[in-house]
């Protein structure tokens, strides 16, 4: 089990910080202003091998665990960047890594490790079902050596900067399965071939510079070889990756929180009003101190989730609780930082408002706070299922 200050994790932190130093606040500010995509940053992260951290060495990756991956994403945010532009590459490949055939892994993983291909997108959520995944309406019908895909997805990120996408579709109608979680399958979609040939992409403008889209499938043909694992087992496959995803998101929020706390503390030390630094006032320093305490507590739960996941245990409870605590703590840190800066917190040049918007996302996605509370109530407290 790793500890937060072990030598290998310290080396990772230093390496990521060195890379992030080449992409300063003005770089991220410009990307945000242009509603652009940080192509140079993503390429640098890929070339340095950070995005292939969890790919086994035999396929060209580093073969590291969730603990190391979480540190990479944490440091990007702690340095003032936005790891939401690269995190998909890490957690989207879990399905391929755990359930793909040997042939699929040999074909795709080395290309993902080298950066020749990108797997930044996962198509699960739909407009009419949201997080009620078992009710998805996108269908995949087998016709000979092909599957015909029809339906719609929403909030699918980074399609414009991804070569491949993990897609969840129903292969057996809901009325014909014994359990509603059965009858869904996972496919690996080559976006380069699909877009314009049965797949239409409609970007969604949003308050965060988060590249996300609505997808429309109209008789998209996929080769049967694009099926990952067994037909009908897709929902279980997706769940396997969610614990890793939630733990990684928790780490990102911890990185955000530390950025906000450092930023607020520095400003509170230097800003003088009424002849004294504002940080001398308890009304200013207490919210910052409280945010620091909550981030540290969330961090401990992150390490527990990483330890359980990397040792092969069921990390469901810890991953959910880590994500809940970290998202809440980062949002409170964001509020404290903005309030500390007063009017300057709203000025783009200080970067607080950009990071403020970015970290707010994580109380909604990739799973809302309320659903985590429902999970804890049902699975840990043995209360009746609420939905």
């Amino acid at each position: 089990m790793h500890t937060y200050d072990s030598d290998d994790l310290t080396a990772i932190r230093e390496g990521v910080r060195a890379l992030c130093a080449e992409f300063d606040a003005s770089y991220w500010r410009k990307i945000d202003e242009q509603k652009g995509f940080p192509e140079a940053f993503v390429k640098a992260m890929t070339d340095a091998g950070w995005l292939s951290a969890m790919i086994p060495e035999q396929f060209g990756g580093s073969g590291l665990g969730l603990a190391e991956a979480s540190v990479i994403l944490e440091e990007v945010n702690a340095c003032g960047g936005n790891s939401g532009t690269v995190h998909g590459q890490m957690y989207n490949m879990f399905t391929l890594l755990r359930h793909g055939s040997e042939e699929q892994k040999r074909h795709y993983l080395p290309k993902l490790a080298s950066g020749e291909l990108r797997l930044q997108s996962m198509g699960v959520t739909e407009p009419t079902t949201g997080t009620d995944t078992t009710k998805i309406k996108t269908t995949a019908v087998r016709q000979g050596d092909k599957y015909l895909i029809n339906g719609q997805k929403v909030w699918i990120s980074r399609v414009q900067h991804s070569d491949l996408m993990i897609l969840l579709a129903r292969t057996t109608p809901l009325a014909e399965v014994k359990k509603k979680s059965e009858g869904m399958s996972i496919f690996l979609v080559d976006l380069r071939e699909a877009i314009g040939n049965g797949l239409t992409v409609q970007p969604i403008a949003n308050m965060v510079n988060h590249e996300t889209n609505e997808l429309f499938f109209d008789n998209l043909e996929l080769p049967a070889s694009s099926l990952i694992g067994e037909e009908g087992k897709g929902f279980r496959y997706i769940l396997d990756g969610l614990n890793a995803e939630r733990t990684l998101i928790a780490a990102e929020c911890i990185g955000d929180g530390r950025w906000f706390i450092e930023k607020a503390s520095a400003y509170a030390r230097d800003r003088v009003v009424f002849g004294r630094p504002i940080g001398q006032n308890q009304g200013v320093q207490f919210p910052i101190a409280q945010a620091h305490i909550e981030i540290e507590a969330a961090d401990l739960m992150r390490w527990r989730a990483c330890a359980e996941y990397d040792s092969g245990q069921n990390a469901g409870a810890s991953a959910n609780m880590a994500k809940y605590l970290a998202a809440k703590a980062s949002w409170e840190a964001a509020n404290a930082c903005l309030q500390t800066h007063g009017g300057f917190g709203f000025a783009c040049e200080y970067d607080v408002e950009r990071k403020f918007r970015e970290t707010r996302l994580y109380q909604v996605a990739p799973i809302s706070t309320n659903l985590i509370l429902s999970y804890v109530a049902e699975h840990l407290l043995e209360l009746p299922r609420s939905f």
Side-chain angles (χ1 to χ4, degrees):
M1 174 181 172
H2 290 285
T3 58
Y4 69 92
D5 59 352
S6 62
D7 290 342
D8 53 349
L9 294 184
T10 299
I12 290 173
R13 290 187 189 280
E14 292 173 351
V16 175
R17 285 173 190 165
L19 185 150
C20 288
E22 301 174 21
F23 301 90
D24 61 8
S26 63
Y27 172 82
W28 290 103
R29 205 176 303 136
K30 186 176 180 181
I31 293 291
D32 188 63
E33 289 170 1
Q34 297 174 344
K35 293 191 179 296
F37 188 80
E39 193 65 59
F41 170 73
V42 175
K43 185 178 188 306
M45 289 286 286
T46 303
D47 292 346
W50 295 121
L51 301 189
S52 60
M54 299 189 73
I55 295 178
E57 292 183 69
Q58 69 191 92
F59 298 117
S62 305
L64 301 177
L66 191 64
E68 292 90 346
S70 76
V71 166
I72 294 169
L73 297 183
E74 175 198 343
E75 287 300 328
V76 170
N77 280 8
C79 290
N82 182 3
S83 55
T85 59
V86 293
H87 61 195
Q89 180 85 348
M90 286 193 171
Y91 58 68
N92 285 337
M93 70 176 111
F94 277 108
T95 306
L96 179 62
L97 204 57
R98 290 198 162 191
H99 304 290
S101 66
E102 283 303 311
E103 183 180 350
Q104 287 172 328
K105 287 188 281 191
R106 282 197 304 270
H107 179 76
Y108 290 109
L109 290 179
K111 294 179 180 179
L112 290 170
S114 69
E116 181 182 343
L117 292 177
R118 290 182 183 175
L119 177 54
Q120 286 268 29
S121 296
M122 177 181 288
V124 175
T125 307
E126 297 187 1
T128 60
T129 58
T131 48
D132 192 1
T133 306
T134 60
K135 301 286 180 58
I136 63 169
K137 298 174 182 176
T138 297
T139 58
V141 178
R142 181 76 181 252
Q143 293 187 347
D145 61 350
K146 295 179 180 180
Y147 282 91
L148 213 56
I149 311 295
N150 283 282
Q152 189 177 353
K153 297 289 181 181
V154 73
W155 303 118
I156 312 306
S157 301
R158 298 169 297 276
V159 172
Q160 290 87 343
H161 289 87
S162 187
D163 302 298
L164 306 170
M165 176 178 69
I166 298 289
L167 174 68
L168 181 69
R170 185 161 281 287
T171 41
T172 304
L174 188 59
E176 297 178 17
V177 294
K178 294 179 180 178
K179 294 175 61 178
K180 62 182 182 179
S181 59
E182 297 175 347
M184 290 175 282
S185 302
I186 288 289
F187 299 89
L188 190 61
V189 179
D190 189 326
L191 291 169
R192 299 164 300 177
E193 296 179 0
I195 295 174
N197 293 302
L199 172 58
T200 303
V201 178
Q202 180 66 50
I204 300 173
N206 58 84
M207 68 176 277
V208 187
N209 182 28
H210 191 91
E211 190 176 82
T212 192
N213 310 273
E214 193 163 11
L215 308 184
F216 301 88
F217 299 90
D218 184 11
N219 289 327
L220 171 66
E221 291 186 0
L222 296 180
S225 59
S226 65
L227 176 70
I228 294 179
E230 292 182 51
E231 186 177 292
K233 304 289 186 183
F235 186 69
R236 180 166 61 84
Y237 297 161
I238 285 288
L239 291 180
D240 278 348
L242 290 183
N243 292 335
E245 178 191 47
R246 288 164 193 175
T247 305
L248 291 176
I249 295 294
E252 293 181 44
C253 291
I254 289 163
D256 274 343
R258 289 186 169 141
W259 185 90
F260 286 119
I261 291 162
E262 182 179 336
K263 188 88 169 174
S265 298
Y267 188 80
R269 287 191 296 267
D270 296 340
R271 175 68 166 162
V272 175
V273 179
F274 300 121
R276 54 193 269 157
I278 63 172
Q280 190 174 344
N281 301 317
Q282 291 180 346
V284 172
Q285 61 179 231
F286 281 9
I288 302 173
Q290 188 174 18
H292 174 72
I293 292 168
E294 292 180 355
I295 284 291
E296 291 297 299
D299 194 27
L300 292 175
M301 186 59 76
R302 179 266 292 260
W303 291 120
R304 190 168 104 177
C306 286
E308 290 174 357
Y309 190 91
D310 285 338
S311 63
Q313 300 176 59
N314 182 356
S318 295
N320 272 289
M321 290 190 289
K323 197 270 181 182
Y324 170 88
L325 289 170
K328 182 175 181 291
S330 70
W331 176 234
E332 293 300 334
N335 275 310
C337 186
L338 185 66
Q339 193 71 18
T340 299
H341 281 76
F344 289 112
F346 293 85
C348 295
E349 66 180 289
Y350 281 78
D351 300 298
V352 176
E353 61 85 31
R354 171 177 61 84
K355 295 284 285 181
F356 182 91
R357 288 183 280 113
E358 289 172 359
T359 209
R360 181 61 179 86
L361 171 66
Y362 294 123
Q363 289 208 59
V364 175
I367 184 173
S368 75
T369 295
N370 285 344
L371 280 174
I372 291 178
L373 295 175
S374 295
Y375 176 95
V376 170
E378 179 186 353
H379 295 281
L380 302 186
L381 306 180
E382 298 182 352
L383 294 170
R385 185 180 177 93
S386 62
F387 61 90

